[in-house]
Amino acid sequence: MPDVTMDQIVSLCRRRGFVFPSSEIYGGLGSTYDYGHYGVLMKNNIRSLWLQAMVQERDDIVALDSAVILNPRVWEASGHVGGFVDPLVDCRTCKLRFRADQLDQASCGRKPSKRPGETPDCDLTEARQFNLMFKTQVGALEDESSVAYLRPETAQGIFVNFKNVLQLARRKPPFGIAQVGKSFRNEITPGNFLFRVREFEQMEMEFFVPPADAEQWYRYWIDQRFGWYLEYGLREENLRKREHSAQERSHYSSGTTDIEYRYPIGWQELEGVANRGDFDLTQHTQHSGTKLEFVGEGGERYTPYVIEPAVSIERIFVAMLVDAYHEEVVAERDRTVLRLHPAIAPVKAAVLPLIPRNGDMVEKARSLHGELRTSHVVEYDDGGQIGRRYRRQDEIGTPFAFTIDDQTLEDDTVTVRDRDSLAQERLPIGGVPAWLEEALTKRWRTPVA
Ligand code: GAP
């Protein structure tokens, strides 16, 4: 287990303005969160690195941004109206709700807390099926004909656009469609900070392949996605692949492998990679009457199989914070440091005048900051003692800090401090932009064993 608790992550996120409980001044809304400045920057980095790997660096995947509210028949065809359910039980005594299939992980509302059903006072109802989709109304009429749903996954927006992309983007299998966007699930038991929330940002890619090649592409995408996490700094000992048994797989899947991360709550699904076969295109063909198939130049036709890597930014965000979080003692002082991969870190560098009251230092620092910020998110900080400012940057994971001091005024050099090794070296101020550019593109691995 990583030696960090979820409480430490929650507390750092709050203290440094990464993430806050949502609508807090009204008492919050269970397991709903808002992202502050650093949280937004870090989320943007995760999203754009995913898009870079999925779309920018490939010839065979295109992007899509479909609507959140789709024709409700989409969700009938996909099986979500009938089958996107969790079994739920209520306790008539403590009025709490539990997932019937996870009672062994839940806590009863009474003190001292036990498992639901364990105390003589517990009075559990029979399990009933609870649909996780959020219902809404479209238009002014509030009747059955206006019922619609907030999408519980981005994938279906991709399937219903299969024909558009096939024709307009002139693609043929193997090719993929990638989408990033909000998904909504009325989870019975959200929790563990951002790990299970009701509103989250999914990143899904549907890869359409000839049926005979599906198994090979399934293995390929498991390895690609596993490698992506290593590239962006997660420690290999905290990652593993776990193949689902036939009983565990979703109705649409003929093979699913979870990439699991060792969260403080134990090994849990970070990302799922599924072989969805021809389930989705066949279902939408039958329900819509529009043939969703590939017709080759020689007239051969088939329904492609789909390989799907699917993940939420939230699960990556938590895994990366957990992996990066360290408390240590340096020169007899405590420091908390986020050893984030530089590409993930919300701020890439800090520019610090050693003596904030010295006008010449401030001027040079402002000028360097102005130059660097045209290419990267950099922060100027002149608040408080230099040691405190370094600690602040360590806590938000800033990999480099440039300090303007007396010597800068004499010879136009600055010190650069490395967050991980704490090494300091001197550089000519004019060389800083190029130095930073290179440092940010170097291969990075955590120095923590
Ligand atoms: N299209 C397939 C699909 O949605 P899923 O396993 O239900 O499959 C895919 O979800 C990914 O979305 C998960 O691996 C996880 O990263 C993320 N996810 C699912 N439910 C979530 C929730 N309530 N909160 C945060 N992330 C969630």
Side-chain angles (χ1 to χ4, degrees):
M1 205 72 77
D3 52 5
V4 50
T5 63
M6 205 63 108
D7 283 347
Q8 284 171 301
I9 299 297
V10 174
S11 152
L12 177 118
C13 281
R14 210 202 145 86
R15 196 165 66 242
R16 290 296 174 209
F18 281 74
V19 182
F20 322 105
S22 184
S23 40
E24 206 178 4
I25 59 170
Y26 288 100
L29 177 68
S31 293
T32 310
Y33 295 92
D34 296 341
Y35 288 80
H37 183 65
Y38 298 128
V40 171
L41 294 173
M42 185 166 152
K43 247 172 40 134
N44 287 348
N45 293 339
I46 294 171
R47 187 189 306 106
S48 69
L49 291 168
W50 186 88
L51 283 169
Q52 182 182 327
M54 285 297 189
V55 181
Q56 186 183 323
E57 292 177 355
R58 299 188 67 104
D59 297 327
D60 54 359
I61 302 181
V62 295
L64 179 80
D65 189 0
S66 69
V68 166
I69 300 176
L70 304 176
N71 186 312
R73 290 177 57 212
V74 169
W75 306 110
E76 284 164 24
S78 67
H80 284 83
V81 170
F84 193 52
V85 289
D86 276 342
L88 170 137
V89 292
D90 290 298
C91 177
R92 296 187 188 91
T93 314
C94 66
K95 312 286 182 223
L96 290 182
R97 290 200 149 159
F98 309 101
R99 266 181 67 165
D101 55 341
Q102 292 180 355
L103 289 179
D104 56 339
Q105 296 157 40
S107 295
C108 159
R110 315 218 101 192
K111 296 275 181 265
S113 183
K114 297 237 174 174
R115 300 287 170 233
E118 256 182 23
T119 79
D121 293 336
C122 294
D123 184 7
L124 301 183
T125 62
E126 287 294 309
R128 64 191 167 88
Q129 298 299 342
F130 175 77
N131 195 299
L132 300 185
M133 281 196 295
F134 277 103
K135 260 190 189 172
T136 187
Q137 306 279 144
V138 172
L141 280 181
E142 288 198 14
D143 62 17
E144 269 308 297
S145 69
S146 62
V147 166
Y149 304 96
L150 303 189
R151 67 179 174 202
E153 61 173 20
T154 58
Q156 299 303 323
I158 295 179
F159 298 129
V160 298
N161 276 293
F162 173 77
K163 202 172 167 195
N164 287 335
V165 176
L166 196 65
Q167 287 174 347
L168 302 175
R170 288 176 292 110
R171 299 283 153 178
K172 62 179 200 181
F175 79 97
I177 306 177
Q179 161 151 246
V180 180
K182 286 270 175 128
S183 291
F184 302 84
R185 296 183 188 180
N186 198 0
E187 299 278 2
I188 299 171
T189 48
N192 290 312
F193 191 36
L194 300 167
F195 180 83
R196 192 178 304 284
V197 277
R198 294 195 171 106
E199 174 182 340
F200 51 97
E201 197 168 336
Q202 266 191 323
M203 306 196 289
E204 298 196 287
M205 195 278 293
E206 310 302 320
F207 201 70
F208 301 93
V209 300
D213 301 342
E215 179 63 20
Q216 172 211 326
W217 280 110
Y218 169 57
R219 301 282 156 207
Y220 168 88
W221 279 110
I222 295 168
D223 291 343
Q224 283 292 306
R225 295 301 306 147
F226 196 86
W228 189 86
Y229 291 108
L230 297 179
E231 187 177 339
Y232 290 108
L234 291 189
R235 279 171 281 167
E236 193 158 5
E237 69 263 29
N238 291 332
L239 283 168
R240 72 178 187 193
K241 301 169 190 165
R242 190 181 67 78
E243 188 135 21
H244 285 202
S245 66
Q247 293 77 10
E248 201 185 341
R249 288 200 291 258
S250 308
H251 57 285
Y252 53 74
S253 162
S254 49
T256 298
T257 294
D258 286 346
I259 297 176
E260 294 190 332
Y261 181 75
R262 192 151 45 150
Y263 290 96
I265 48 173
W267 287 101
Q268 294 286 342
E269 175 181 350
L270 166 60
E271 168 158 356
V273 183
N275 177 353
R276 299 180 72 119
D278 62 1
F279 176 82
D280 304 278
L281 294 184
T282 305
Q283 285 293 107
H284 288 302
T285 295
Q286 283 168 3
H287 282 71
S288 69
T290 301
K291 270 201 174 146
L292 300 179
E293 58 178 9
F294 171 71
V295 184
E297 278 163 14
E300 76 278 16
R301 51 180 65 217
Y302 63 87
T303 305
Y305 274 28
V306 173
I307 310 303
E308 172 194 74
V311 66
S312 67
I313 295 187
E314 284 73 6
R315 295 238 174 136
I316 300 178
F317 190 92
V318 176
M320 288 188 162
L321 288 177
V322 167
D323 225 76
Y325 185 100
H326 296 280
E327 287 181 2
E328 52 196 35
V329 179
V330 176
E332 295 177 16
R333 291 187 56 191
D334 295 334
R335 88 159 176 161
T336 301
V337 54
L338 283 185
R339 289 205 177 88
L340 291 167
H341 188 291
I344 299 289
V347 176
K348 308 302 176 194
V351 181
L352 316 170
L354 182 65
I355 304 169
R357 278 172 287 107
N358 182 313
D360 293 338
M361 283 187 201
V362 166
E363 195 184 319
K364 286 219 181 262
R366 286 268 183 215
S367 155
L368 179 61
H369 176 242
E371 191 177 352
L372 295 178
R373 75 192 308 181
T374 58
S375 309
H376 298 290
V377 177
V378 286
E379 210 166 83
Y380 172 87
D381 186 359
D382 61 9
Q385 282 189 345
I386 193 74
R388 299 238 330 249
R389 284 182 269 161
Y390 284 146
R391 294 283 182 280
R392 209 149 53 209
Q393 295 298 332
D394 287 343
E395 265 205 329
I396 62 166
T398 307
F400 308 108
F402 300 104
T403 306
I404 314 296
D405 55 17
D406 287 318
Q407 201 178 325
T408 316
L409 305 182
E410 285 165 24
D411 64 4
D412 262 345
T413 60
V414 298
T415 41
V416 52
R417 171 188 182 268
D418 181 290
R419 172 199 70 195
D420 297 331
S421 65
L422 295 172
Q424 304 211 7
E425 59 174 302
R426 279 206 91 82
L427 299 174
I429 199 165
V432 168
W435 186 96
L436 182 62
E437 208 60 54
E438 198 195 326
L440 290 174
T441 45
K442 263 194 205 147
R443 184 175 181 270
W444 182 90
R445 288 285 178 274
T446 180
V448 179

